[in-house]
Amino acid sequence: MELDIKVPQHVTIIMDGNGRWAKMRGEERLFGHKAGTDSVRACVEYAVEKGIRYLSLFAFSEENWERPAAEVEGLMQLMLKAILEETPLFQKNGIRFRVIGDFSRLSDKLKCEIDECMKLTEQNGVLDLIVFLSYSGKWDILQAVNRYIADNKDDLRPITADTISSYLSTAGIPDPDLLVRTSGEQRISNYMLWQTAYTEYYFTEVLWPDFRKPHFQAAIEAFSRRDRRFGKVK
């Protein structure tokens, strides 16, 4: 019998462990990244089934650009292939696709496909699927401050927390209620540093290519048992 659980509005996942999963099988790291796409599909299906409104995935960090060129190129090709294949399913299932990050190092073809998919799905309202690509939390805060300065250079005033939030790349998206990280690592790796100030963290030993609906369910159940006080006394 399924437990009566509190469904978070926004779940974000740091998808970790693809390389180790592949190494355990004597394969190249890209083999693990390819296998991880099945986990993405399973989590999107679960989010739709459970009524989670926002599902965000940390796909590629700014720091990941320092990985071997062949792995980086393979990852970008996987992203391009996934967008092309999944866009019709996004439309069918009411999923709004969004990508957040520094696009300056992405190929023109990938940027074009991202833009096209986002435009085609922007009216969908069942689930916002947000992919963080070439992203870092420090970059996000810095670009927010710089944008604020550029917009208000003739009349600079003290910056408030709300000001920063309104200039972040995630403006208009609720802060995550739950952050899940796979593979046993217990850090957030420069991811949504501002937005996760009061997010509940859930760490699992499961490697990302093995992460499926029962593992997602376990994370949601753990979230349901948390007493969220946001620094206040209840």
Side-chain angles (χ1 to χ4, degrees):
M1 182 177 178
E2 186 174 304
L3 295 175
D4 182 20
I5 62 173
K6 294 181 293 185
V7 177
Q9 182 182 29
H10 182 180
V11 178
T12 192
I13 305 177
I14 299 177
M15 306 178 292
D16 195 17
N18 292 339
R20 275 166 282 171
W21 187 90
K23 185 177 180 181
M24 289 166 59
R25 289 158 176 77
E27 300 283 354
E28 297 293 327
R29 292 175 57 86
L30 195 59
F31 180 77
H33 296 310
K34 290 177 180 176
T37 59
D38 291 334
S39 298
V40 171
R41 193 171 291 111
C43 288
V44 170
E45 290 175 358
Y46 178 90
V48 171
E49 290 169 8
K50 296 300 179 183
I52 294 169
R53 186 59 187 81
Y54 298 86
L55 175 64
S56 56
L57 306 172
F58 195 16
F60 192 86
S61 72
E62 269 198 322
E63 292 80 8
N64 288 157
W65 287 108
E66 303 304 317
R67 291 185 175 185
E71 182 180 351
V72 171
E73 177 61 23
L75 279 165
M76 294 303 155
Q77 289 300 321
L78 273 178
M79 174 62 69
L80 182 60
K81 182 174 183 287
I83 292 171
L84 291 170
E85 290 180 349
E86 300 298 327
T87 298
L89 292 176
F90 294 159
Q91 288 289 72
K92 179 181 178 181
N93 295 300
I95 297 170
R96 181 185 183 188
F97 180 71
R98 306 170 73 173
V99 179
I100 288 175
D102 181 359
F103 285 16
S104 65
R105 298 174 73 173
L106 302 183
S107 69
D108 289 342
K109 183 171 180 57
L110 180 54
K111 286 187 284 189
C112 181
E113 292 300 334
I114 288 171
D115 287 343
E116 181 68 16
C117 186
M118 289 198 296
K119 287 176 183 175
L120 285 172
T121 63
E122 64 183 352
Q123 299 302 318
N124 295 341
V126 174
L127 171 73
D128 275 36
L129 175 61
I130 306 154
V131 174
F132 285 79
L133 182 65
S134 189
Y135 175 88
S136 84
K138 291 181 179 180
W139 164 83
D140 202 359
I141 294 169
L142 286 171
Q143 67 84 30
V145 172
N146 286 326
R147 284 176 56 210
Y148 170 78
I149 291 171
D151 286 350
N152 300 277
K153 58 178 177 287
D154 296 326
D155 186 26
L156 285 179
R157 298 178 183 180
I159 297 176
T160 67
D162 286 342
T163 302
I164 293 291
S165 294
S166 69
Y167 276 90
L168 290 171
S169 60
T170 55
I173 299 170
D175 290 342
D177 300 295
L178 172 64
L179 182 150
V180 177
R181 181 166 186 156
T182 59
S183 88
E185 302 293 347
Q186 297 188 19
R187 58 181 181 273
I188 60 171
S189 298
N190 197 9
Y191 179 52
M192 282 207 278
L193 301 177
W194 183 276
Q195 299 92 329
T196 57
Y198 280 102
T199 297
E200 297 293 326
Y201 293 177
Y202 177 85
F203 301 107
T204 175
E205 297 288 333
V206 177
L207 300 177
W208 177 246
D210 292 326
F211 195 86
R212 291 294 187 273
K213 294 181 183 182
H215 306 110
F216 204 160
Q217 176 78 12
I220 300 301
E221 289 175 358
F223 170 81
S224 294
R225 294 190 291 269
R226 306 280 178 90
D227 183 15
R228 305 186 76 198
R229 295 187 298 274
F230 300 95
K232 303 172 184 177
V233 176
K234 287 187 177 180

